[in-house]
Amino acid sequence: MAKPNIPKGTRDFNSLELFRRNYIFDTIKEVFKKYNYEPIETPSFELYDTLMGKYGEEGDKLIFKILNSGNFLENTNACKTEYKQLTKEICEKALRYDLTVPFARYVVMHQNEITFPFKRYQIQPVWRA
């Protein structure tokens, strides 16, 4: 019988590690709050087109793409050998690589609600392939 495992690049946190991690995050958040920074959160994934091309060719290779739901090959020419063309047709979303592009998208979408200069903090996970 195979031994249970987790995906490469991920890890579990035990209660002591989580306690220490949360203590550090809480301390950092208190400093941000003291200086009137506002917390924001963005989704874990963005539209594929929003992320691609923003990190350069090397960065684009490190983005986790999310396959479309259902029979995603149904409306594509599955014989395509150019993976970039096929990827655009079968992936509409991707996990965020860092918080920069999602933040820029957030500012553009909420520019009429934000007072500039906009002081924010954001503590969230990111994924790189």
Side-chain angles (χ1 to χ4, degrees):
M1 180 171 214
K3 182 173 122 177
N5 212 342
I6 60 175
K8 183 180 176 185
T10 64
R11 66 185 209 189
D12 293 324
F13 292 98
N14 66 37
S15 58
L16 180 59
E17 292 168 323
L18 203 50
F19 175 79
R20 289 175 177 165
R21 188 172 192 244
N22 287 338
Y23 175 79
I24 292 169
F25 286 159
D26 291 343
T27 303
I28 292 168
K29 289 176 186 178
E30 286 306 312
V31 172
F32 278 124
K33 289 177 191 174
K34 180 179 176 181
Y35 293 98
N36 298 316
Y37 281 73
E38 298 176 26
I40 68 165
E41 284 191 10
T42 57
S44 299
F45 57 91
E46 295 281 340
L47 293 175
Y48 175 82
D49 289 338
T50 301
L51 294 175
M52 293 307 290
K54 310 302 189 290
Y55 301 106
E57 194 171 321
E58 284 301 310
D60 288 350
K61 292 177 185 175
L62 297 176
I63 293 175
F64 277 103
K65 289 91 177 167
I66 301 172
L67 290 177
N68 296 341
S69 300
N71 186 356
F72 50 84
L73 291 176
E74 185 175 45
N75 297 320
T76 65
N77 179 358
C79 296
K80 290 183 180 176
T81 55
E82 180 59 42
Y83 82 93
K84 287 183 182 181
Q85 283 182 304
L86 185 58
T87 300
K88 282 186 170 187
E89 293 186 34
I90 64 174
C91 298
E92 294 175 1
K93 299 175 276 297
L95 293 175
R96 63 177 173 231
Y97 176 82
D98 66 11
L99 298 174
T100 307
V101 173
F103 174 58
R105 187 225 7 104
Y106 177 91
V107 170
V108 169
M109 288 183 67
H110 300 276
Q111 61 188 324
N112 295 327
E113 306 157 23
I114 296 173
T115 303
F116 293 96
F118 181 48
K119 294 166 57 173
R120 64 91 184 176
Y121 68 91
Q122 186 174 359
I123 302 172
Q124 293 184 268
V126 297
W127 293 268
R128 296 183 185 188

